[in-house]
Amino acid sequence: EEINNIINLDERQLRTYDGKHRAYMGCAEFDTGEKRTFTDNINFKWSGRNMLLWANKMMEDNYSDTVKKMPILDELGEKTDEKILGYDLVMVAHYAYYDIKFISKFLSNYSEIVVGTSLKAASGTFKSPYCDKPLIVKIIDSINFLPFALDKFGKNLHFKQEKDVMPYHAYTIDNLRGENPKVDLDEILDEWENNAYDADKKKQQFCNNLNQLNMIDDNMVDMIGYAEYYCKLDVEVLAKGFLKYQALMEDAVGEKCIDYLGLPSMANGYCEKNGVFEDV
């Protein structure tokens, strides 16, 4: 069965005092444009589950014809019927090794192919208590097809991309706890890595963004609001870049990225289909 639905996703993470990474926000966008952000700055663990709950409901309400089926065979091995296993869904993340950790713990029958810290592919099943059928999830890492940073997508794939900044150092568990956490702007700017490349430009860009987005009041920064803005922007860039690249590959060689682990396996598949290895 063809898989026709793709979710591009991103997770915002922080490192706690015990050295563990915890997710406080996730954003997901279907290839058809539906998008949503999921925040958990109370428990720092439910954003991935909430994303899957939403995806399961979206699939059931809007894409119920995109399903994975298993043939039912008789004693002679002849197909007699089909069993619907669930809704087919591909999830794409850039540097997915880290992002999917906050999703994989909610998947049953989970398996993955990892080389070092590079995720090649993963799969699992998620069943929402509010849906009739589960998600049959396949996860791929876009870095295996587009081996450069997300901020280079626009330049390399020839589309307009807004350059933006994120004060990662300010996103600590102490600064994020609470219903609507705020942090003093001067504190964020003072702690910015002054030795970092283009630190002054990044500070200025950050201030400009806050003013344009109305996310600063009495010099206090809306931490969740800004993280949501940045997370959505990352997902928009990933979605635009990955879908454009997949369309280019389909036009050029007739292959879909989502059918392969990465460019080497796609090249091998193309060669096999076109008889390159015959008589070798």
Side-chain angles (χ1 to χ4, degrees), residues 164-165 171 206 209-210 215 222-230:
D164 244 300
V165 293
Y171 281 82
F206 179 58
N209 290 347
L210 292 174
M215 290 184 181
D222 179 353
M223 299 297 285
I224 295 299
Y226 191 81
E228 183 173 342
Y229 155 76
Y230 190 86

Side-chain angles (χ1 to χ4, degrees), residues 2-14:
E2 274 196 7
I3 299 173
N4 299 311
N5 290 286
I6 303 173
I7 275 189
N8 297 274
L9 65 94
D10 186 42
E11 287 271 2
R12 296 290 96 196
Q13 311 163 23
L14 53 80

Side-chain angles (χ1 to χ4, degrees), residues 7-42:
I7 275 189
N8 297 274
L9 65 94
D10 186 42
E11 287 271 2
R12 296 290 96 196
Q13 311 163 23
L14 53 80
R15 182 173 290 178
T16 55
Y17 301 119
D18 57 6
K20 294 181 179 180
H21 287 85
R22 301 190 186 279
Y24 62 89
M25 180 179 292
C27 183
E29 179 178 350
F30 272 88
D31 55 352
T32 45
E34 297 92 341
K35 180 168 51 186
R36 189 166 172 180
T37 303
F38 309 88
T39 302
D40 177 16
N41 60 312
I42 304 299

Side-chain angles (χ1 to χ4, degrees), residues 14-264:
L14 53 80
R15 182 173 290 178
T16 55
Y17 301 119
D18 57 6
K20 294 181 179 180
H21 287 85
R22 301 190 186 279
Y24 62 89
M25 180 179 292
C27 183
E29 179 178 350
F30 272 88
D31 55 352
T32 45
E34 297 92 341
K35 180 168 51 186
R36 189 166 172 180
T37 303
F38 309 88
T39 302
D40 177 16
N41 60 312
I42 304 299
N43 299 298
F44 297 95
K45 63 180 181 180
W46 297 118
S47 58
R49 180 176 181 270
N50 291 337
M51 183 184 295
L52 289 167
L53 286 169
W54 173 73
N56 204 164
K57 185 63 174 170
M58 283 290 295
M59 291 292 289
E60 184 159 282
D61 290 347
N62 302 289
Y63 312 106
S64 58
D65 57 335
T66 307
V67 294
K68 181 177 281 296
K69 300 176 182 178
M70 180 180 71
I72 298 175
L73 308 180
D74 62 17
E75 294 178 354
L76 299 176
E78 298 293 330
K79 178 179 175 181
T80 59
D81 202 349
E82 290 180 326
K83 178 182 179 181
I84 296 177
L85 300 178
Y87 303 115
D88 243 338
L89 181 67
V90 175
M91 306 188 85
V92 181
H94 208 58
Y95 296 109
Y97 178 79
Y98 297 101
D99 287 342
I100 67 158
K101 288 183 180 297
F102 306 102
I103 294 173
S104 60
K105 60 185 177 182
F106 301 111
L107 298 176
S108 60
N109 304 315
Y110 180 74
S111 63
E112 63 181 22
I113 302 172
V114 175
V115 179
T117 57
S118 175
L119 177 85
K120 299 303 179 183
S123 63
T125 303
F126 177 80
K127 177 65 170 71
S128 168
Y130 312 109
C131 297
D132 292 333
K133 300 182 184 67
L135 289 176
I136 309 299
V137 179
K138 176 182 178 181
I139 303 167
I140 61 176
D141 192 339
S142 51
I143 195 71
N144 296 316
F145 299 93
L146 300 163
F148 41 81
L150 203 59
D151 62 7
K152 300 294 191 298
F153 269 41
K155 178 182 178 181
N156 292 336
L157 293 169
H158 306 291
F159 65 84
K160 185 178 180 181
Q161 178 179 353
E162 299 294 334
K163 292 185 178 180
D164 244 300
V165 293
M166 180 72 171
Y168 292 105
H169 65 278
Y171 281 82
T172 65
I173 198 164
D174 290 334
N175 284 347
L176 289 184
R177 282 203 186 278
E179 190 171 325
N180 190 21
K182 311 278 189 182
V183 175
D184 189 273
L185 175 60
D186 292 335
E187 180 182 323
I188 295 175
L189 297 179
D190 289 343
E191 293 180 2
W192 209 293
E193 297 180 26
N194 291 315
N195 294 326
Y197 178 71
D198 279 347
D200 290 337
K201 290 183 179 179
K202 290 178 179 178
K203 291 179 183 180
Q204 186 60 55
Q205 180 66 49
F206 179 58
C207 292
N208 292 342
N209 290 347
L210 292 174
N211 288 319
Q212 291 173 6
L213 298 167
N214 294 317
M215 290 184 181
I216 184 165
D217 182 31
D218 196 23
N219 214 51
M220 301 298 287
V221 176
D222 179 353
M223 299 297 285
I224 295 299
Y226 191 81
E228 183 173 342
Y229 155 76
Y230 190 86
C231 196
K232 283 182 176 179
L233 200 61
D234 267 6
V235 169
E236 288 172 6
V237 170
L238 173 59
K240 190 171 185 177
F242 185 77
L243 292 174
K244 181 174 183 179
Y245 182 76
Q246 175 156 270
L248 290 171
M249 294 304 290
E250 284 192 71
D251 287 343
V253 297
E255 300 290 349
K256 288 187 176 182
C257 297
I258 58 175
D259 292 335
Y260 295 95
L261 301 180
L263 287 176

